[in-house]
Amino acid sequence: MLLLIPGPVQTRPEVRAAMAADIAPWDDDHRAEHAGLRARLLAIAGGAPGGHAVLPVTGSGHAAVEACLRTFVPAGGKVLIPLNGAYAHRMARLAREAGRVVAGLEVPDTRPVRAEEVAAALAADPAIGHVGMVYSETGSGIVNDPEAIGAVVRAAGRRLILDAVSAFGALPFRMAAHPECDALAFTTGKCLEGMPGIGIAVARTDRLLACAGQAGSWVLDLAAIHEHAVHNGPGSHRFTPAVQVFRALGVALDLYEREGGQPARLARYAENARVLYEGVRALGLTPYLERRHQGPVVVTVRQPADPAFTLPGFVAALKARGVLISNFFTTAAPTFRVGCIGAVAPEDMRAAVRAMGEALDSLGVRRRAPA
Ligand SMILES: *Cc1c(COP(=O)(O)O)cnc(C)c1O
């Protein structure tokens, strides 16, 4: 089965096989392995040794995003969130439920937020201390620009929290070049092509010290996780970790480095997305995004107007042909979404497009333009 969803992604057999072990998290051999893993992730994040820390939270990606919000935005503090997709709305909910005040910046889910929009919102409200932004918006497939937005946040003397969950490892970002960035969040099971189960934040160590004690949660307090690592060593864990997921991530990072790291991974995903985007158009379907706004992580496609098309029917017909896509959509208009990330290559995308053509024919979907 070809798994084309934007996380958890298709993995290589050697990554999955690495999980088949019992491991004691406090064992000296594991401590060395874990410290090494943290150092490798810091390098991928472009963090400065000593200046930034890698802070894992067992859980899904949202756990790391919530931990970033709780740790750095004080209770009652205000965070500006550009709302151009489902994951931005999730970030807003995480902040609100944690008792932080959200200033939502409404932006259509078909384009990135513009630097001047963020600059104007910051200028209009001095109470905003942070901007919370999704890098790759997995809802529609657009990519917001942390270079442009980061510069605006820096100029305004505010702080940035970046949800890089579906971007990390593929889209470029260097923490050391972004002093305004308190933290970014990612997960083991997306562009790093590991198994799901751990959310990870990379954060500034000076800000972790300054923000100690304000999370309002012990489990999700990045400052407490950092303090534990400082006192017990970078090979230590605070609570019981998903230790097999770490083991698999080490193997996934070997493969990542062998492939050529971030530039190579981005190139493969971008080509996957291009093949898919052109392929669905050749089938008479309409991509949700304009080509210039299409990111490399997920391609969303408008559902055809033909009444013979139903999303569950299409997903089942594709599954019968060996391709598994999401059975839900999170865009403003009805779409289906196809992931371009994971251990999949352009030839897999060509096979997926062929399967889509056969699935549409088998369902009798002739009118393929959207309603
Ligand atoms: C996947 C993802 C998350 C986290 O999702 P989980 O289901 O909690 O792993 C957060 N933000 C973005 C942009 C994502 O793609």
Side-chain angles (χ1 to χ4, degrees), residues 60-62 65 87 134 136 138 163 165-166 190:
S60 76
H62 283 98
V65 177
Y87 287 83
V134 176
S136 163
T138 324
D163 171 347
V165 177
S166 68
K190 292 198 179 178

Side-chain angles (χ1 to χ4, degrees), residues 211-225:
C211 295
Q214 68 180 17
S217 159
W218 189 24
V219 171
L220 298 178
D221 185 355
L222 297 177
I225 297 172

Side-chain angles (χ1 to χ4, degrees), residues 34-94:
H34 189 59
L37 197 59
R38 273 180 147 156
R40 294 169 88 181
L41 292 169
L42 185 71
I44 295 169
H52 295 92
V54 173
L55 305 160
V57 186
T58 294
S60 76
H62 283 98
V65 177
E66 180 172 346
C68 291
L69 290 164
R70 282 184 169 275
T71 301
F72 295 107
V73 181
K78 204 168 195 180
V79 53
L80 177 75
I81 301 181
L83 295 172
N84 54 353
Y87 287 83
H89 283 276
R90 286 165 172 221
M91 192 187 215
R93 179 163 179 181
L94 292 174

Side-chain angles (χ1 to χ4, degrees), residues 8-29:
V9 299
Q10 180 152 317
T11 55
R12 304 261 311 181
E14 54 269 53
V15 172
R16 299 192 295 275
M19 303 248 304
D22 293 316
I23 304 162
W26 43 261
D27 178 65
D28 281 343
D29 290 343

